[in-house]
Amino acid sequence: MESENRPIGFFDSGIGGISVLKEAVKILPNENYVYFGDSKMAPYGIRTVENVKELTLNAVKFLLKKDIKALVIACNTATSAAIIDLRKEYSKYMPVIGIEPALKPAMEINRIGKVVIMATTMTLSEKKFNNLMKKYDKNSMIEPLPCPGLVELIEQGIIKGKVIEDYLNPKLLPLKKQGIAAVVLGCTHYPFIKESISKILGNDIPIIDGSKGTVQQLKRQLIKYNIINKNIDKLGSIKIFNSMNSQDIIKLSYELLKR
Ligand code: DGL
């Protein structure tokens, strides 16, 4: 296959990376995409770094067999565990893009209050995030908020209603009282519950995720490697795979992509 027609591979521990794929389809509609979600092994956020690295490297091998021209790790947790190894191994051949909590745009909003970073326990305890914190948290205004158990709900397709609100209320309401400047979604599953977060905090609190920045970086890299699809007359294709042997999870993935 001609280099530029080959698909871009997307990976996440489950269905969360669909939120990034959705942004990619918007910004780069002519590209072909292959998505792999490892829902069978999700959540990654409670595993050891070594284990997440191993699972991520295996998943990437699956995508490489699909003849991908670029790799997007659409998972904050897998990025913090494996991006250095993946870049060492593959960036000679293709762009390797990761995602991290979008602290920079959140800090630039400059509203009064704390910048709350919702993410998995692993993302928040990893070196990558702590370096980011050091860079941006000049006045201790960043409030890391680990959300164990939330990915499991979203993986079941529970993205709004009482169950999600009962989970979020005790975490967000005390922070709301102290004053929130912005919320950063540092896990690619969380954009699907944005509506519930706004319902609790109010529509005036900005909620920021890293998908746009990640896709813009993907675009820059496709141009740099000279592999951007120039076939602008035709919309690309999207194929979704999942380690869980179930049609329900594939169906849910396509539904979330359309939302
Ligand atoms: N979507 C993954 C992330 O961005 C979820 C991690 C997990 O499976 O715990 O962090």
Side-chain angles (χ1 to χ4, degrees):
M1 206 192 286
E2 234 182 276
S3 199
E4 59 188 52
N5 287 328
R6 288 155 62 211
I8 299 165
F10 270 68
F11 168 68
D12 178 51
S13 64
I15 57 175
I18 298 283
S19 62
V20 189
L21 176 61
K22 205 168 138 183
E23 195 63 36
V25 174
K26 228 190 273 168
I27 297 178
L28 298 162
N30 311 105
E31 297 292 343
N32 298 306
Y33 297 97
V34 181
Y35 181 95
F36 179 68
D38 191 10
S39 294
K40 194 173 162 189
M41 303 308 276
Y44 277 17
I46 52 165
R47 294 175 180 277
T48 63
V49 176
E50 275 315 304
N51 190 206
V52 170
K53 202 185 272 186
E54 193 189 337
L55 292 169
T56 305
L57 296 181
N58 280 338
V60 166
K61 283 185 188 138
F62 173 87
L63 287 170
L64 289 172
K65 285 192 197 130
K66 303 284 173 203
D67 198 24
I68 56 170
K69 66 175 182 181
L71 174 65
V72 179
I73 304 298
C75 175
N76 293 262
T77 311
T79 297
S80 48
I83 202 76
I84 294 175
D85 291 44
L86 287 169
R87 288 209 173 112
K88 238 184 244 164
E89 186 80 22
Y90 302 114
S91 61
K92 293 188 274 299
Y93 316 110
M94 65 177 77
V96 178
I97 318 293
I99 188 163
E100 62 184 19
L103 252 64
K104 189 172 181 261
M107 297 309 278
E108 281 167 1
I109 286 178
N110 240 336
R111 283 173 43 117
I112 293 167
K114 295 218 159 185
V115 172
V116 177
I117 322 286
M118 296 173 69
T120 68
T121 311
M122 205 189 110
T123 298
L124 296 175
S125 56
E126 266 310 283
K127 201 168 148 202
K128 202 168 189 305
F129 176 73
N130 284 291
N131 286 341
L132 257 186
M133 276 268 280
K134 266 186 227 141
K135 192 167 164 194
Y136 293 108
D137 198 12
K138 304 287 180 241
N139 307 314
S140 303
M141 291 314 281
I142 296 179
E143 179 79 29
L145 183 65
C147 298
L150 191 49
V151 162
E152 287 91 319
L153 296 177
I154 300 166
E155 281 287 311
Q156 292 171 59
I158 305 171
I159 56 171
K160 58 181 174 186
K162 188 175 175 336
V163 177
I164 291 288
E165 285 166 32
D166 284 352
Y167 179 96
L168 293 174
N169 272 326
K171 286 196 175 286
L172 294 176
L173 288 177
L175 293 168
K176 187 182 177 185
K177 267 191 209 138
Q178 291 169 37
I180 296 179
V183 174
V184 173
L185 305 180
C187 168
T188 54
H189 280 72
Y190 303 166
F192 296 120
I193 57 158
K194 211 169 162 178
E195 205 182 297
S196 302
I197 299 172
S198 281
K199 194 174 162 194
I200 294 166
L201 298 180
N203 285 325
D204 56 324
I205 309 274
I207 302 175
I208 299 159
D209 70 69
S211 50
K212 200 167 178 187
T214 302
V215 176
Q216 278 163 345
Q217 173 65 359
L218 168 65
K219 188 175 176 183
R220 282 192 291 271
Q221 292 291 312
L222 291 175
I223 294 168
K224 187 176 154 204
Y225 281 68
N226 199 19
I227 49 172
I228 196 154
N229 202 328
K230 297 181 194 83
N231 189 358
I232 50 163
D233 301 325
K234 197 174 149 233
L235 288 181
S237 64
I238 303 165
K239 284 189 191 133
I240 299 180
F241 298 89
N242 196 290
S243 58
M244 202 130 85
N245 194 12
S246 127
Q247 269 315 301
D248 290 351
I249 199 90
I250 301 288
K251 206 174 139 222
L252 176 61
S253 304
Y254 281 108
E255 270 169 27
L256 291 173
L257 190 62
K258 272 188 253 142
R259 256 168 197 279

